[in-house]
Amino acid sequence: MHAAVVLAHPRADSYAHALAQRAINGLQIAGHRVDVIDLYAEGFRAAMSEAEWKAYPGDKPILDPLVQTSADLVRNVDALIFIYPTWWSGLPAILKGWMERVMVPGVGFTFDERTGKIRPGLTNVRHLVGISTYGSPKSIVRVVNDNGRRTIMRALRLSCGFGVRKRWHGLYAIDTSTVEQRADFAARVERSMTELR
């Protein structure tokens, strides 16, 4: 299987980066090929430019080579794994911007010319995985709707089709978690990635 890990955290010594490494380890243990998109390390620009906005409805909506590289990758993987901290009840801006600039017509979805309806563009993706940390406890996260999870597990799922398998791993109340709790969560993430088939 071919997997893409999309990582959104600015610090290389962060827990998110440690989780990414554990996920990569698990995928490689299972014999899967892994490509990593480290958005901050790549210098990915979150904001869609005016030129991109104008190109969006056309035949060539992608103007940036970095965006094109991500689009080419996601169109050819079997698994998409997102690793990020939940900030302000949602995705970090850089990850939201990546979705807006990469999941354009022809990538995230297509239009059926006959009916005019939107169709999934990433039917190649068989596994959709989210791994996130939260400052708040799970009860509070539920109250504010866990917007990042909803974006990945519901909105992006529609781009993959209903046959896609979903997994979510959330570490809640990380600010008051213990070293042991963080280590256990990281181990669960790695173990879960070894089980992807």
Side-chain angles (χ1 to χ4, degrees):
M1 198 165 70
H2 185 188
V5 173
V6 183
L7 172 60
H9 196 289
R11 288 185 55 171
D13 62 348
S14 66
Y15 184 62
H17 276 76
L19 289 174
Q21 190 56 59
R22 294 298 292 267
I24 293 163
N25 292 348
L27 291 162
Q28 290 175 338
I29 287 167
H32 304 314
R33 178 177 156 209
V34 184
D35 281 298
V36 179
I37 303 171
D38 185 336
L39 297 175
Y40 282 96
E42 291 182 2
F44 193 89
R45 182 173 45 83
M48 183 182 284
S49 68
E50 182 179 354
E52 287 172 319
W53 179 249
K54 289 178 179 176
Y56 187 89
D59 292 337
K60 295 183 180 176
I62 297 176
L63 306 178
D64 183 330
L66 195 55
V67 175
Q68 188 65 59
T69 298
S70 283
D72 292 342
L73 180 60
V74 300
R75 281 192 286 221
N76 290 290
V77 296
D78 305 291
L80 272 174
I81 296 109
F82 295 92
I83 303 173
Y84 68 94
T86 294
W87 290 338
W88 280 97
S89 305
L91 302 170
I94 197 168
L95 180 51
K96 180 71 164 53
W98 181 86
M99 289 189 176
E100 290 173 0
R101 295 179 69 214
V102 172
M103 301 300 173
V104 295
V107 180
F109 59 95
T110 60
F111 290 104
D112 185 317
E113 291 182 16
R114 188 177 58 80
T115 65
K117 292 185 178 179
I118 293 174
R119 298 286 181 231
L122 296 174
T123 54
N124 52 291
V125 176
R126 299 185 347 239
H127 296 279
L128 195 54
V129 180
I131 302 165
S132 189
T133 58
Y134 302 81
S136 300
K138 193 171 188 177
S139 58
I140 299 299
V141 171
R142 282 184 178 160
V143 168
V144 296
N145 288 324
D146 202 352
N147 297 309
R149 180 177 181 170
R150 290 165 64 94
T151 298
I152 293 169
M153 295 288 114
R154 292 187 184 183
L156 186 57
R157 177 187 183 197
L158 294 175
S159 290
C160 302
F162 285 105
V164 70
R165 296 179 204 150
K166 308 181 305 175
R167 288 184 189 215
W168 189 262
H169 299 284
L171 178 60
Y172 303 90
I174 190 171
D175 299 337
T176 56
S177 66
T178 64
V179 171
E180 291 78 14
Q181 288 170 324
R182 293 190 296 276
D184 287 347
F185 181 76
R188 282 199 311 273
V189 164
E190 183 171 321
R191 197 165 46 250
S192 175
M193 295 304 99
T194 67
E195 297 165 356
L196 291 187
R197 299 282 182 264

